[in-house]
Amino acid sequence: MLHARRIALALGSNLGDRAATIEHAIADLRDTPGFVVVDCSPLYVTPPAGGPPQGDYLNGAVLVSTALPARDVLARTQAIERSLGRVRPDPVRWGPRTIDIDILWIEGECIDEPGLEVPHPRLEGRVFALRPLLDVAPDATHPRTGKRYDELPAAHLPMMRA
């Protein structure tokens, strides 16, 4: 059995009542057996990263503590996405969505499996994921290299709070 460790989850939405959807997702995470919500970042307004023309996102992060295996964490977050109207596979790559919950970082773990890569493969260059991660886990480091995420250039780019 795994020991409890910190896991940072990114939450993003750009359809419907974005803030309400993210708040509902956080409530669902709090109600998820095996998860303890430790902290939540502020929400940020960010432009979409690629994809077709679409509205701005609200993005944030939640830090949970859990002993669940990463695959179980993924399954539970995807169940929350489905309950909030997310359809997978996405009809349009990087298209608009009601909710997106990604595993950004797992303390001390690197995973490279089909459908699950942790740390998130684009974390280091995406301020909309990196800054919320650092809000909830300011001491986060890359599990393989030991590099501190707060030392990355993207960690210091400006962002607008919601």
Side-chain angles (χ1 to χ4, degrees), residues 9 11 30-31 40-41 56 60 76 97 103 112 117 136 154:
L9 304 172
L11 289 86
R30 289 185 196 284
D31 292 341
C40 298
S41 78
D56 286 346
R76 291 171 190 216
R97 52 198 63 171
I103 301 173
D112 189 2
E117 191 172 346
V136 298

Side-chain angles (χ1 to χ4, degrees), residues 79-154:
I80 292 169
E81 286 179 334
R82 281 190 303 277
S83 77
L84 294 172
R86 175 79 186 266
V87 175
R88 287 185 185 264
D90 291 318
V92 177
R93 182 168 168 81
W94 294 327
R97 52 198 63 171
T98 55
I99 189 71
D100 187 23
I101 305 174
D102 288 331
I103 301 173
L104 291 177
W105 172 80
I106 300 177
E107 186 172 30
E109 290 184 41
C110 287
I111 301 168
D112 189 2
E113 300 173 357
L116 181 60
E117 191 172 346
V118 180
H120 191 284
R122 291 172 294 283
L123 171 61
E124 293 186 16
R126 288 187 165 176
V127 65
F128 65 83
L130 187 58
R131 178 72 61 75
L133 165 66
L134 291 169
D135 287 336
V136 298
D139 62 335
T141 60
H142 191 287
R144 183 172 293 121
T145 67
K147 184 170 186 168
R148 292 182 53 96
Y149 288 120
D150 65 353
E151 295 174 352
L152 295 171

